[in-house]
Amino acid sequence: MKLLIDAGNSRAKWEVVDGGATVAAGSGQLIDESLFDPAQAYAAGLRAIAISIVAAEEAQHRLVTRLSEWTSAPVRIYPAEPERNGLRCGYANTRSMGADRWHAMYAAWCRYRGSLAVVDAGSALTIDFVAASGDHLGGYILPGRAMMLRSLSQDAARIRFDDRGLSGSQPGKSTDECVQHGQHWAWQALASQLARDCARLGIDRVFLTGGDAGRLAAAGLQAEQVPRLVIEGIARIDDESER
């Protein structure tokens, strides 16, 4: 069995897998001391822990220390790489790319050896394009939904609203509607721009993942939703490292 961890700046998702099947899973805030409690039931059977993490080295060290308190399984942290299995990173400084973006791209590349885009609608919303040759064509990083709403709540005077997930993109007639419909309207524009970019770049397939994937699809983004794309990527890379 292995423990696979997708750790962002504040939240993490984890799975215990055995022979490719998920036997336990969880998610929550990284600072939550009980985050991995359900995984500890499998501690004796773990032969490795593979981690995709975007946080700084200090946070990585704290995570490894926490894990070592209840399991002796070796911990392997995988950053972004210049190249793997035909997929080539477009960054000159590969290590400056978020590991989650690389792992999501790699999972998509292994699923579909052709031109593709990966959209990860998490805390930040990231978009990456890959040519049929395997060359990473670059991408975009935008604020995610929660980040957008938080910036309006904290940084703009007299904008107070209830985050009730109001749907629609018509002009709002209350502050709640103006904010919620505005966010949906922006995502509709994003979906339209992404479709134009894919046509221009010759992208055949779009993969969508992240906590707000459903909301983005509802805004009109045409994509194949794969909820655990980062976990899938780290699992593939760790398996390859053992061959």
Side-chain angles (χ1 to χ4, degrees):
M1 287 187 293
K2 291 183 181 180
L3 174 61
L4 309 174
I5 301 174
D6 170 15
N9 285 302
S10 60
R11 291 185 61 81
K13 296 183 289 289
W14 60 264
E15 293 184 16
V16 175
V17 296
D18 188 7
T22 301
V23 298
S27 64
Q29 295 289 327
L30 268 174
I31 60 173
D32 184 355
E33 292 297 326
S34 64
L35 174 61
F36 297 106
D37 283 0
Q40 294 183 28
Y42 304 90
L46 291 179
R47 58 185 178 85
I49 300 173
I51 302 176
S52 174
I53 185 168
V54 300
E57 287 188 10
E58 182 179 350
Q60 294 182 22
H61 176 72
R62 287 198 301 267
L63 176 58
V64 173
T65 299
R66 284 177 61 187
L67 295 169
S68 67
E69 292 173 353
W70 57 269
T71 178
S72 60
V75 177
R76 300 190 277 257
I77 296 177
Y78 293 99
E81 306 165 283
E83 188 275 339
R84 177 175 286 271
N85 199 15
L87 178 66
R88 289 173 289 278
C89 183
Y91 273 33
N93 179 8
T94 306
R95 294 299 181 97
S96 68
M97 170 180 274
D100 55 345
R101 289 172 62 194
W102 175 252
H103 298 143
M105 271 195 292
Y106 187 66
W109 175 248
C110 290
R111 279 174 170 254
Y112 179 66
R113 298 269 180 157
S115 58
L116 60 92
V118 175
V119 181
D120 190 341
S123 298
L125 195 154
T126 63
I127 302 169
D128 285 288
F129 301 100
V130 178
S133 61
D135 291 307
H136 174 222
L137 302 175
Y140 301 101
I141 302 175
L142 299 86
R145 177 179 179 275
M147 193 179 298
M148 291 172 64
L149 297 180
R150 187 166 59 248
S151 70
L152 285 173
S153 175
Q154 295 179 353
D155 299 334
R158 300 188 65 183
I159 296 183
R160 297 292 179 265
F161 57 91
D162 181 6
D163 183 11
R164 293 177 292 169
L166 299 173
S167 61
S169 56
Q170 67 273 20
K173 294 184 178 179
S174 68
T175 300
D176 286 351
E177 286 188 351
C178 287
V179 169
Q180 299 290 343
H181 292 192
Q183 190 271 325
H184 189 77
W185 180 74
W187 274 10
Q188 286 182 318
L190 183 153
S192 297
Q193 182 61 52
L194 180 63
R196 290 192 291 270
D197 284 347
C198 286
R200 176 176 57 85
L201 296 171
I203 300 298
D204 296 326
R205 198 163 175 180
V206 180
F207 293 88
L208 174 60
T209 193
D212 282 324
R215 292 178 184 271
L216 194 49
L221 184 69
Q222 299 298 308
E224 177 181 343
Q225 290 191 52
V226 186
R228 57 190 296 276
L229 202 58
V230 175
I231 290 280
E232 184 178 315
I234 199 70
R236 288 180 179 273
I237 290 172
D238 194 63
D239 287 346
E240 291 168 9
S241 74
E242 295 180 331
R243 295 173 187 167

